[in-house]
Amino acid sequence: DSWSVNNKLTINYGFRYDSTGLRAEDPDIALAGEDTFLRFNDPAYRVGVAYDIGGDGKTVLRAFAGRYYEGVTSGNTEPLTGEVSPYYYWEGQLYGHAEEWVLIDVSGGSTGNFFVKDDIINMYTEGVTLGIERELMPQLSASATFIYKKDHHLMGTISPDATWDTEQYNLTTPNGTFSGTYFPNFSSGAREFYGTVKEGDVGVAEAPFRKFYGFVTEINKRMSDNWSLKANYVYSRNSANIGSGYGVIQGFRGYSDPNEWINTGGRSTLERPHVFKVSGTYIAPFDVYVSPAFTWSSGYALPTYITVNGVQFLAVETDGSERLDNQMNVDIRLEKAFVVMDRYRIGLILDAFNVFNDDAVTDMLSNDVTNPNFRVASEVVPARFFQVGVRLLF
């Protein structure tokens, strides 16, 4: 709902409650003979405030807080069934008839030693923003916004029967000398439990976390006098004690191996602390639209791994001092429209990407100090290329 308290203050608020789950309808594949084997009850809130400081519509203070839950996806929980995983298809899609779902195959699944933790709670992200926007002159405004968000109740698997040894290491490599403690001979044991991971679980050194904060400044000149412009700068910090791969983000990875907690808690490998963008459009003579876009960004943070007796782990905490190359990219679009028969509009488009052919390195062959390909570049940004297109409006 939206509540206009007075001519200066407006509050937008909402509440959402979801009860979602995954169910195995065949009792032969349900856990412990139950047909519902995963259930989340998720209360989520949203509240936003806009306050016109001067009462003239030129300076607005905005604030927001909200909670967002992860969706329940079957791909993450296929092993939760006792013996096999069912695959249902809409038969009409396959054969052009039958308006119902049918079980056409079963595959995979666990061996019956995969269970749901009793205290499982769905993952969610909670965030706040606080910003101010000021109209400097007609069609021109500037804004500044602070953003913070953190993930809560991260999920994954723990192994209550896991075992490992503890050993010291002191290893000299061509890339430096490293020493510390690691945990060889890790074994996950027979059982695995899927649920909310927390400090005190077997092999879990601390509760997993991901958090982000950033500061955004922007200048926006709306289209007038045949040109528009938008420029913004973002400074951000993104830290985590877990990785950022697909399985981790989706909430499905193992947490009981103590080697995965060595030197964690630093910068996320997806962090770009500085990003600067400028884009705009100029309507040139003969109604030719010229739209350049400039982006400069920091390179991703590089982790440093080490392998000792076949066990790989972080050699040092990722502090962001080593990064992939900074990237500078310039794209330009030219578009000319022609009106045909008073009702059709045909646009001819020419795009040029990476105009200055920036060759920033975007990946390494290895980030392991014991690998001979340590910090050897393996990928660069795509080379300059051009694209021609036609747009038809009617």
Side-chain angles (χ1 to χ4, degrees):
D1 199 1
S2 181
W3 175 28
S4 296
V5 180
N6 51 44
N7 61 352
K8 289 187 175 182
L9 177 64
T10 299
I11 300 175
N12 297 290
Y13 55 91
F15 177 79
R16 175 189 180 115
Y17 181 85
D18 289 326
S19 181
T20 56
L22 296 173
R23 182 174 65 185
E25 296 184 355
D26 184 342
D28 292 334
I29 62 174
L31 286 177
E34 299 179 358
D35 63 349
T36 300
F37 60 86
L38 186 59
R39 171 64 61 183
F40 293 126
N41 297 301
D42 302 330
Y45 67 91
R46 316 273 196 275
V47 58
V49 175
Y51 180 70
D52 183 357
I53 295 177
D56 56 1
K58 292 187 176 182
T59 306
V60 180
L61 181 68
R62 294 186 176 90
F64 172 82
R67 176 182 293 186
Y68 300 87
Y69 282 90
E70 286 288 327
V72 180
T73 57
S74 59
N76 290 346
T77 52
E78 286 176 356
L80 297 180
T81 55
E83 297 295 339
V84 292
S85 295
Y87 287 85
Y88 286 88
Y89 288 85
W90 185 260
E91 193 180 35
Q93 292 180 336
L94 299 177
Y95 308 110
H97 63 278
E99 297 180 356
E100 63 180 349
W101 290 91
V102 295
L103 177 63
I104 68 166
D105 191 20
V106 292
S107 177
S110 69
T111 59
N113 297 319
F114 202 112
F115 307 95
V116 180
K117 291 178 67 177
D118 292 337
D119 59 351
I120 188 170
I121 302 173
N122 195 11
M123 300 183 295
Y124 66 85
T125 297
E126 211 157 30
V128 298
T129 64
L130 178 64
I132 187 170
E133 182 176 9
R134 170 70 179 177
E135 182 186 63
L136 303 178
M137 61 181 65
Q139 310 301 329
L140 179 65
S141 65
S143 64
T145 306
F146 172 78
I147 304 169
Y148 175 82
K149 60 181 180 179
K150 183 178 180 180
D151 293 343
H152 297 266
H153 300 304
L154 294 171
M155 294 190 297
T157 63
I158 64 165
S159 304
D161 305 317
T163 58
W164 58 83
D165 296 327
T166 302
E167 291 186 10
Q168 298 294 120
Y169 72 93
N170 193 317
L171 188 63
T172 298
T173 76
N175 302 295
T177 298
F178 303 87
S179 61
T181 302
Y182 80 112
F183 308 94
N185 303 316
F186 170 78
S187 173
S188 62
R191 297 178 299 163
E192 287 186 284
F193 284 79
Y194 181 75
T196 306
V197 180
K198 57 184 182 298
E199 184 177 353
D201 289 335
V202 175
V204 179
E206 60 179 333
F209 73 85
R210 284 192 299 260
K211 58 184 177 181
F212 167 92
Y213 71 80
F215 180 73
V216 184
T217 59
E218 182 171 287
I219 293 177
N220 186 14
K221 195 274 183 186
R222 298 173 180 83
M223 178 60 73
S224 62
D225 300 323
N226 292 332
W227 68 283
S228 66
L229 179 72
K230 178 178 287 188
N232 63 63
Y233 165 73
V234 181
Y235 172 77
S236 63
R237 290 284 299 268
N238 195 338
S239 56
N241 61 359
I242 58 177
S244 52
Y246 173 78
V248 178
I249 292 175
Q250 293 296 313
F252 198 86
R253 59 152 274 190
Y255 283 92
S256 290
D257 186 346
N259 293 294
E260 296 184 354
W261 297 98
I262 299 174
N263 293 319
T264 59
R267 303 289 188 91
S268 167
T269 54
L270 295 180
E271 179 193 64
R272 293 184 184 271
H274 304 281
V275 178
F276 177 64
K277 297 180 180 180
V278 180
S279 62
T281 297
Y282 171 64
I283 305 177
F286 306 105
D287 287 331
V288 176
Y289 284 69
V290 182
S291 302
F294 169 86
T295 302
W296 186 95
S297 60
S298 305
Y300 289 138
L302 283 170
T304 301
Y305 292 97
I306 190 170
T307 298
V308 182
N309 294 327
V311 180
Q312 187 182 70
F313 49 89
L314 283 170
V316 294
E317 183 175 293
T318 304
D319 61 4
S321 59
E322 293 186 279
R323 294 183 173 273
L324 292 168
D325 291 346
N326 299 329
Q327 294 183 27
M328 184 187 73
N329 188 70
V330 176
D331 301 330
I332 297 178
R333 164 170 287 191
L334 302 178
E335 181 173 0
K336 169 63 178 175
F338 299 91
V339 177
V340 181
M341 294 187 297
D342 296 328
R343 57 178 300 188
Y344 300 102
R345 187 179 179 91
I346 299 176
L348 301 181
I349 303 169
L350 172 64
D351 289 313
F353 299 96
N354 194 7
V355 172
F356 295 104
N357 208 27
D358 183 44
D359 60 354
V361 174
T362 58
D363 202 3
M364 299 289 181
L365 285 175
S366 175
N367 291 307
D368 191 317
V369 294
T370 61
N371 191 303
N373 292 317
F374 177 70
R375 295 289 195 262
V376 175
S378 63
E379 294 182 10
V380 298
V381 297
R384 179 197 304 120
F385 69 98
F386 300 91
Q387 177 177 280
V388 176
V390 178
R391 191 205 318 263
L392 175 63
L393 301 176
F394 57 91

